[in-house]
Amino acid sequence: MIKALHPKHILTLLDQLDRVAPSHTLSREASLRRIMVVLACVCVCLLLVHYVKYSRNFFELLRWAGSFSGNPNAYILALRDAGFLELAGYAWWSFIHLVGYVVIPALVIRWVLRERVIDMGWRWNETAQHWRGYLLLTTPILFFVYLVSLGDDFVNHYPFYDQASRSWLDLLSWWALYIGQFVFLEFFFRGFMLNALRPALGANAIWIMCVPYLMIHFPKLWLEATGAILFGLFLGILALASRSIWGGVMVHVTIALAMDTAALLRKGGLPGDFLPF
């Protein structure tokens, strides 16, 4: 697989994936309808995640709920006084990714496409057979993480959760939310999009997936957004070859936890206490 991921062999590998079922197993009419349903779902999900994931929407919801008791800020103040207001905002962020990237696509898969959700990459399948390909993607990025971790901007940016170093409870809670978000993201792009579009578009489903995957990186630095093109392409190829999202999950999680850990070590170390109180 490492040799196959060489740029000279990409088209050959895509040709091989394109000739293997379930690529191009639908009629022209069925393909048209499949593409319409899947991409319409993708549009709705991306809109939902992009505009609803922010904690300010969660706080507005809490104010609305608190208004029934006569104090709109009651729940927000309670979370703030407990020291978990920011973490609750990230829980909302992760929850919206779950709804947009997993729940809604799962409903479309089950009730519109009439297929099984588990067949959209949730199984382990041949992930272990392609470990070299995933390692090839991970290693240079980890080296780059080490280099950028030497700068102050990196330390000030990671982890996203400002109180991650306060206690192990904070850090592990944050990591659970963070890892969950990567599982949801991988299912949406390398599970749902690839496997739902493959019967209609074959290996070209990878290129279709790469477009919105690139676009969700636009708010980030241009170098990271540019890298998302090749990263999405290689992860897509590996996901189709292994018939699983879990290799991509492991790559994302390894890089993310390495970045957080490097930043925490630069700040003075990992948490010393398990509880923040």
Side-chain angles (χ1 to χ4, degrees), residues 144 210-232:
F144 180 73
C210 284
V211 176
Y213 184 67
L214 162 65
M215 295 176 73
I216 67 170
H217 289 80
F218 282 164
K220 301 183 179 182
L221 297 175
W222 71 267
L223 189 60
E224 185 175 354
T226 303
I229 302 173
L230 290 177
F231 198 61

Side-chain angles (χ1 to χ4, degrees), residues 14 39 42 46 188-190 193-194 197 203-218 225-237:
L14 290 173
L39 294 187
V42 168
L46 290 175
F188 184 74
F189 288 101
R190 259 71 69 176
M193 284 196 70
L194 287 187
L197 289 173
N204 277 321
I206 297 173
W207 296 108
I208 301 299
M209 174 274 297
C210 284
V211 176
Y213 184 67
L214 162 65
M215 295 176 73
I216 67 170
H217 289 80
F218 282 164
T226 303
I229 302 173
L230 290 177
F231 198 61
L233 171 63
F234 291 145
L235 282 180
I237 291 172

Side-chain angles (χ1 to χ4, degrees), residues 17-188:
L17 293 171
D18 206 51
R19 290 193 290 266
V20 177
S23 296
H24 304 293
T25 53
L26 297 179
S27 67
R28 186 182 183 91
E29 292 78 11
S31 295
L32 175 63
R33 286 156 180 77
R34 171 68 67 104
I35 295 169
M36 179 187 70
V37 167
V38 172
L39 294 187
C41 177
V42 168
C43 291
V44 170
C45 293
L46 290 175
L47 277 171
L48 172 72
V49 171
H50 181 73
Y51 288 105
V52 184
K53 66 182 179 182
Y54 299 106
S55 58
R56 63 175 178 268
N57 295 307
F58 174 60
F59 298 151
E60 285 301 319
L61 181 63
L62 290 180
R63 291 188 181 94
W64 174 80
S67 65
F68 291 99
S69 63
N71 184 1
N73 293 316
Y75 297 119
I76 294 177
L77 292 174
L79 286 170
R80 188 195 66 183
D81 293 342
F84 292 107
L85 183 61
E86 184 186 3
L87 188 62
Y90 278 114
W92 169 264
W93 170 78
S94 185
F95 170 72
I96 295 302
H97 280 86
L98 171 63
V99 173
Y101 284 168
V102 177
V103 175
I104 295 176
L107 292 174
V108 170
I109 293 167
R110 178 65 182 87
W111 300 107
V112 181
L113 303 182
R114 301 292 182 180
E115 297 182 9
R116 298 193 304 174
V117 178
I118 197 172
D119 293 331
M120 297 284 171
W122 283 112
R123 290 190 174 93
W124 184 257
N125 288 325
E126 287 84 42
T127 301
Q129 298 177 22
H130 301 284
W131 68 270
R132 292 179 180 84
Y134 289 111
L135 182 63
L136 178 65
L137 286 180
T138 308
T139 303
I141 298 177
L142 289 177
F143 178 71
F144 180 73
V145 167
Y146 168 73
L147 293 179
V148 298
S149 69
L150 301 177
D152 292 336
D153 289 343
F154 179 90
V155 174
N156 295 330
H157 192 65
Y158 295 99
F160 295 150
Y161 177 43
D162 291 335
Q163 300 189 88
S165 60
R166 183 175 61 170
S167 70
W168 279 104
L169 178 62
D170 284 282
L171 181 59
L172 294 177
S173 298
W174 158 243
W175 276 351
L177 297 173
Y178 203 22
I179 290 171
Q181 180 263 160
F182 286 121
V183 175
F184 310 150
L185 180 144
E186 280 299 312
F187 171 71
F188 184 74

